[in-house]
Amino acid sequence: FSDEVAKTAGFQLIIEGDREPAGHLSTKDPSTEIGQFGMQLRTMAPKALLAGRVTWDFEWQLPSKLENDVRLYVAVSAANDDGSPFGDVVHYRALTINAR
């Protein structure tokens, strides 16, 4: 993720597939938590951007067989770190992985 104005950022990722968990999520980053309901991943604390960029590391292991398409929803909040919601931006993406 990159943003030229943001100083800190956080994210949430949701993976949907047949209303059941689609694979397995894992992370070794202590600032990232895996949701207890379905396939959700989110940051528990903002990360500072360095040179306008920030990264989060996690692994997603796909199921051995996909019956239907899988949807990934990602929202990243880019904040200017002034303690207010003014000047902050939420970036959103939705992606589909075709099962066929």
Side-chain angles (χ1 to χ4, degrees):
F1 169 77
S2 67
D3 185 302
E4 297 303 318
V5 178
K7 294 183 180 173
T8 63
F11 82 96
Q12 181 174 22
L13 167 74
I14 298 171
I15 301 173
E16 287 184 350
D18 294 331
R19 297 188 178 128
E20 303 243 345
H24 177 74
L25 284 169
S26 63
T27 181
K28 293 182 178 145
D29 183 344
S31 71
T32 305
E33 177 181 90
I34 295 175
Q36 296 184 4
F37 302 102
M39 298 287 290
Q40 296 182 34
L41 205 64
R42 67 182 177 125
T43 50
M44 298 303 294
K47 270 188 154 177
L49 276 74
L50 301 173
R53 297 180 56 88
V54 65
T55 61
W56 295 275
D57 293 317
F58 62 90
E59 291 184 13
W60 175 33
Q61 183 177 13
L62 288 159
S64 58
K65 183 177 180 187
L66 287 176
E67 297 293 329
N68 294 303
D69 294 350
V70 174
R71 294 279 295 168
L72 285 78
Y73 303 94
V74 181
V76 176
S77 60
N80 58 12
D81 204 26
D82 70 355
S84 79
F86 301 106
D88 300 346
V89 177
V90 175
H91 301 271
Y92 175 80
R93 295 281 188 271
L95 307 165
T96 300
I97 296 176
N98 192 311
R100 292 168 209 89

